[in-house]
Amino acid sequence: MKAWLNRNILFISLSAMFADLGYQTIIAGFPILLVLYFGASPTLFGLASALAFGIGSFLGYLGGKIGDIYGNKKIAIIGNLLIPLLSLIGLAVSPIVAISLFCGGWWARNFRTPSRRKLLSDSARKSAKTKAFGFLHMLDIGGGMLSIIILLILLNKGLSLRIIFLITAVPILLSTMFLLFVKSPKANQRKRNSNINVSSKGNINAYKGVIIATALYGFSSYSLGFPILTIAKSSTSILGIVSYLIYMGISAFTGYLIGLNVKSIIKVLSFYGYIISAVGSLLLGISYTFNLGLFPMYIGVAILGFGFGVIETLEPTVVSIASNTSNSMGFLTASRSLGLFFGNLVMGILYVINPFDSYTYAAAVSIIAGIIIYAAGRNFKIK
């Protein structure tokens, strides 16, 4: 085992992998079930996503606060045990029931995320945090990739989405089992790895910049359900789901490589995270509007995956170095989710009016987020 890859980092990352192996199937299939099977409007899907992320922002913040008080391992396990609510969407008899279960499971995910990130941060040396978060992201998204491959195979075999959704409860419960094997870092280890340097104004500014920028990235972002719907309407449901597989594959590969090799964290986060995501959104909008075909749409999704891999690796790294508490990780989760609340709401409205407008809006706000983090984090230092 590599020097930086200890027991805790491995088990937390395996937990993330099995969680995504379950619920990413639902993320990919939910918009198809809601819009194409139940016949609901894309606006309702946008509203469902907005509710899931919006209230999830409060629960992410709450989970971070409670994790600092009662222990991050305990909170991570409790939240993880409730994620299988997503799987019960397979039993839903109406759009309202499906949306309720979707929100409940996603809220549980957000509730446990800050504590899981804090456990990982406390288990990694300061110099190895980018590697740890990159490895987490690779296994996390790798599980998601595998879930989509399995989804495509099962759909091709004729299995219904409802049955597939119910099966996802198995890997999610296995995810909780791996968290049971994680050892809570001792107090002196947490203190040694936290390194909260309030005297470093540059690092604190970078932390504030990340919190603002991640909210704006949420404003500019959207559930990948929108590109899935865009491609599914232009071709087939299967090809729409394939776009999600491309997104996660690029994201996983990018996160791992960035974690191993990154030097200028803020510059890479700004330009290769936020701003490049704007390019992906614009390409999707242009491709759909001018009927350019499947290939440029897939390129747009791949660019979004690249940007997401950078962001998901480097955002928590900056936060863990500047202010490594579960509460700070809660702010990060809440900030992203609050942005996603408004982002999905606006995307749902604009998408019905004109998909090109929705993707253009997303690109513009993503560029603003990149500029803010670059300006706020210019003096950020790892040491």
Side-chain angles (χ1 to χ4, degrees), residues 3-243:
W4 57 268
L5 183 56
N6 57 41
R7 169 196 175 105
N8 270 13
I9 293 173
L10 178 61
F11 283 145
I12 292 168
S13 300
L14 284 171
S15 173
M17 183 184 78
F18 277 92
D20 271 53
L21 181 57
Y23 72 69
Q24 288 292 357
T25 297
I26 296 160
I27 300 303
F30 180 65
I32 292 173
L33 181 74
L34 194 64
V35 177
L36 301 184
Y37 284 21
F38 280 126
S41 165
T43 301
L44 184 62
F45 171 66
L47 178 61
S49 299
L51 285 173
F53 291 121
I55 297 177
S57 67
F58 169 73
L59 289 171
Y61 171 72
L62 184 65
K65 295 269 305 177
I66 293 176
D68 278 335
I69 299 171
Y70 295 104
N72 290 297
K73 179 179 177 179
K74 185 184 297 183
I75 298 305
I77 290 172
I78 291 171
N80 227 72
L81 282 170
L82 294 173
I83 296 176
L85 285 171
L86 290 167
S87 305
L88 297 180
I89 293 174
L91 301 176
V93 294
S94 70
I96 299 303
V97 174
I99 289 170
S100 299
L101 290 168
F102 179 77
C103 288
W106 197 257
W107 293 340
R109 173 199 174 274
N110 274 23
F111 180 75
R112 66 91 162 107
T113 295
S115 289
R116 194 184 71 179
R117 282 177 169 168
K118 182 62 167 62
L119 282 172
L120 185 80
S121 181
D122 284 341
S123 302
R125 299 189 311 274
K126 190 174 182 180
S127 60
K129 288 184 187 291
T130 54
K131 294 183 178 69
F133 280 109
F135 184 74
L136 170 72
H137 184 71
M138 181 183 70
L139 262 64
D140 189 13
I141 301 301
M145 284 181 63
L146 184 57
S147 77
I148 303 305
I149 292 171
I150 294 172
L151 173 62
L152 291 169
I153 292 172
L154 294 179
L155 285 175
N156 191 53
K157 294 289 185 182
L159 203 63
S160 73
L161 267 178
R162 293 178 178 276
I163 299 298
I164 296 170
F165 280 5
L166 292 172
I167 293 171
T168 63
V170 176
I172 296 173
L173 291 173
L174 286 173
S175 162
T176 304
M177 181 193 72
F178 280 105
L179 286 177
L180 294 173
F181 295 125
V182 173
K183 293 183 177 179
S184 296
K186 297 178 181 178
N188 61 342
Q189 183 181 354
R190 291 197 300 270
K191 183 177 179 181
R192 184 169 63 250
N193 288 338
S194 291
N195 292 294
I196 302 173
N197 187 3
V198 295
S199 64
S200 175
K201 186 177 179 181
N203 281 12
I204 295 303
N205 285 341
Y207 166 68
K208 292 177 180 177
V210 164
I211 296 301
I212 295 170
T214 197
L216 286 171
Y217 180 71
F219 272 101
S220 74
S221 191
Y222 37 81
S223 167
L224 246 287
F226 285 106
I228 289 172
L229 284 173
T230 299
I231 294 171
K233 286 184 175 181
S234 300
S235 51
T236 66
S237 297
I238 295 292
L239 292 176
I241 293 172
V242 168
S243 70

Side-chain angles (χ1 to χ4, degrees), residues 344-366:
N344 278 285
L345 203 58
V346 173
M347 282 290 293
I349 294 169
L350 291 177
Y351 192 89
V352 172
I353 299 171
N354 187 339
F356 180 75
D357 292 342
S358 65
Y359 289 120
T360 302
Y361 156 82
V365 185
S366 190

Side-chain angles (χ1 to χ4, degrees), residues 209-210 212-221 266 269-271 273-275 311 315 362-376:
V210 164
I212 295 170
T214 197
L216 286 171
Y217 180 71
F219 272 101
S220 74
S221 191
I266 296 299
L269 179 58
S270 173
F271 290 95
Y274 297 115
I275 292 177
I311 289 167
E315 271 188 353
V365 185
S366 190
I367 290 170
I368 294 171
I371 293 170
I372 287 175
I373 186 59
Y374 184 74

